[in-house]
Amino acid sequence: MIYCFDLDNTLCHTDGNDYQNSIPIQERIDVVNKLYDEGNTIWIDSARGGTSGINWLSHTRNQLTDWGVKFHKVRTGIKFNADIFVD
């Protein structure tokens, strides 16, 4: 199964567009990691930069890695199509 998770205010607390200071929500990250470990495909999708045009991809990948989030794909600026979307 493909699961697609929104990032800001789903897997982390983010105040407005202050992405540098987002705070991970560990209980939710644990759910994502469990789904990953069970063999599901995990996509992280964020509209970061969709309006501003700023490329947040590298920063977002680094945050996810630092927070220990297991994922297959991540993208910013537009949203994926998935079987299950958690937003």
Side-chain angles (χ1 to χ4, degrees):
M1 182 91 42
I2 297 171
Y3 287 85
C4 187
F5 289 87
D6 183 46
L7 180 56
D8 297 303
N9 298 312
T10 301
L11 299 181
C12 63
H13 294 291
T14 303
D15 186 19
N17 296 332
D18 188 13
Y19 307 126
Q20 294 93 337
N21 293 306
S22 295
I23 300 168
I25 304 171
Q26 191 59 51
E27 307 83 46
R28 295 179 183 179
I29 291 170
D30 291 345
V31 170
V32 170
N33 289 346
K34 182 176 186 281
L35 290 167
Y36 180 101
D37 290 342
E38 291 172 349
N40 295 288
T41 300
I42 305 298
W43 293 344
I44 308 296
D45 205 9
S46 175
R48 289 179 175 189
T51 302
S52 69
I54 297 170
N55 185 343
W56 287 98
L57 184 59
S58 179
H59 177 78
T60 301
R61 273 197 186 128
N62 289 339
Q63 277 183 322
L64 293 168
T65 299
D66 290 346
W67 297 341
V69 180
K70 298 177 182 179
F71 62 92
H72 293 91
K73 293 182 184 180
V74 62
R75 78 173 177 177
T76 57
I78 55 176
K79 299 267 184 161
F80 283 113
N81 184 16
D83 297 317
I84 297 174
F85 194 89
V86 182
D87 189 357

